[in-house]
Amino acid sequence: MAGLQWKAAIKSLDERRDIIIPGNMEKTIHFCVQQFLETGREAIEERGLFTLALSGGQTPNAIFKELSNPSYQKALDWTKVLCFWSDERSVPPTDPESNYAMAMKSGLAKLPLPQENIFRMVAENDIEENALAYEELIREKVPSVSFDLLMLGMGEDGHTASLFPRTHGLHTKDRLVIANYIPQKHTWRMSLTYECIHAAKVISIYAMGKNKSEMVAQALTSAYDPDNIPIQRVGTPHHKALWILDNEASEKLLHVLGLS
């Protein structure tokens, strides 16, 4: 195929991070869908498989809602898509707070994606044991443990996946998946580690809406402090993180950079 069209509009922020601002929320979701499909087609063409890890949150759910439109049913060979998660709450898969449940309800269940290609995180019990099992599953199913697309959100406190500020999971080494205790929320969560995130071929960070504007600016312009703003650590010179922002989320960043 002739290159990925979405790459043409990307701007480099620094050696570890790129940025793109497609426009309002609707245009930004459309960009995300096109990036998803083009990344998937390239992966299937080159390796016969498209492996991805989803995050929770409004944006990934909006992407799958759009993808569930009948016009996209044949946009990808869905039988060759393997779907994992970047993190999960310690709740059953039927709980409305479950990232798995939200993704399925938003549109994932409507896609012609074989059930055996959907690998949820089992975080509602024996979370440390199940984190090890999920790590082994990734090693078994994902070539070189390198996801083709890793989808991340950002909390207003600067967390990503379930790597929250000042939690032990920020300093884990030699693991792909962990059980991370979140004192702020008095609960455990399962999460991919930085090591797993940084192995991905495409790392997308979605931030949309005015409520994300303050933290977007902090994460991308303030002094490096990943213990307090964990998302700052995402991205390497070899596997840069792409920040996908809508107009509202980028407002304060552009002001700080003198571009508004």
Side-chain angles (χ1 to χ4, degrees), residues 7 11 39 46-47 168 202 244-245:
K7 290 186 177 180
K11 305 294 182 186
T39 303
E46 292 186 358
R47 294 176 291 280
H168 76 91
V202 176
I244 304 173
L245 311 173

Side-chain angles (χ1 to χ4, degrees), residues 6-187:
W6 58 269
K7 290 186 177 180
I10 290 172
K11 305 294 182 186
S12 178
L13 189 70
D14 56 36
E15 66 173 4
R16 299 186 302 109
R17 300 175 295 190
D18 292 327
I19 187 172
I20 188 165
I21 307 168
N24 62 20
M25 186 173 290
E26 183 180 354
K27 288 180 179 178
T28 305
I29 294 296
H30 179 74
F31 168 86
C32 295
V33 169
Q34 296 310 310
Q35 183 212 28
F36 180 99
L37 292 173
E38 289 185 36
T39 303
R41 290 182 195 122
E42 182 190 49
I44 291 169
E45 185 176 294
E46 292 186 358
R47 294 176 291 280
L49 205 61
F50 176 33
T51 59
L52 67 138
L54 311 181
S55 73
Q58 293 182 347
T59 303
N61 290 340
I63 293 170
F64 280 99
K65 182 178 180 180
E66 182 69 19
L67 283 169
S68 68
N69 187 300
S71 63
Y72 290 117
Q73 295 289 297
K74 296 183 180 179
L76 206 59
D77 184 348
W78 295 100
T79 65
K80 295 179 179 176
V81 178
L82 301 187
C83 190
F84 292 78
W85 269 258
S86 66
D87 74 313
E88 184 57 279
R89 296 174 170 91
S90 52
V91 296
T94 52
D95 192 295
E97 290 297 304
S98 161
N99 287 336
Y100 166 83
M102 285 188 279
M104 295 299 283
K105 184 178 179 181
S106 66
L108 195 62
K110 296 178 183 177
L111 293 171
L113 187 63
Q115 186 62 38
E116 62 269 24
N117 288 8
I118 300 174
F119 305 100
R120 79 173 183 92
M121 285 178 159
V122 180
E124 64 269 28
N125 52 51
D126 302 321
I127 192 167
E128 292 182 300
E129 181 181 327
N130 283 324
L132 287 167
Y134 205 72
E135 178 168 317
E136 288 307 307
L137 186 64
I138 291 172
R139 293 188 187 280
E140 175 191 344
K141 300 286 186 180
V142 181
S144 303
V145 299
S146 176
F147 286 103
D148 295 304
L149 175 62
L150 208 149
M151 307 168 75
L152 294 173
M154 180 194 69
E156 291 177 42
D157 61 354
H159 83 268
T160 191
S162 277
L163 300 172
F164 279 75
R166 301 172 299 281
T167 56
H168 76 91
L170 303 180
H171 304 285
T172 302
K173 295 181 180 179
D174 302 318
R175 288 287 303 276
L176 302 177
V177 187
I178 54 167
N180 196 24
Y181 184 68
I182 319 298
Q184 304 94 306
K185 295 184 176 291
H186 310 289
T187 188

Side-chain angles (χ1 to χ4, degrees), residues 229-246:
I229 308 177
I231 202 162
Q232 282 189 322
R233 189 173 163 188
V234 176
T236 73
H238 296 293
H239 289 169
K240 295 181 77 173
L242 174 62
W243 284 70
I244 304 173
L245 311 173
D246 70 350

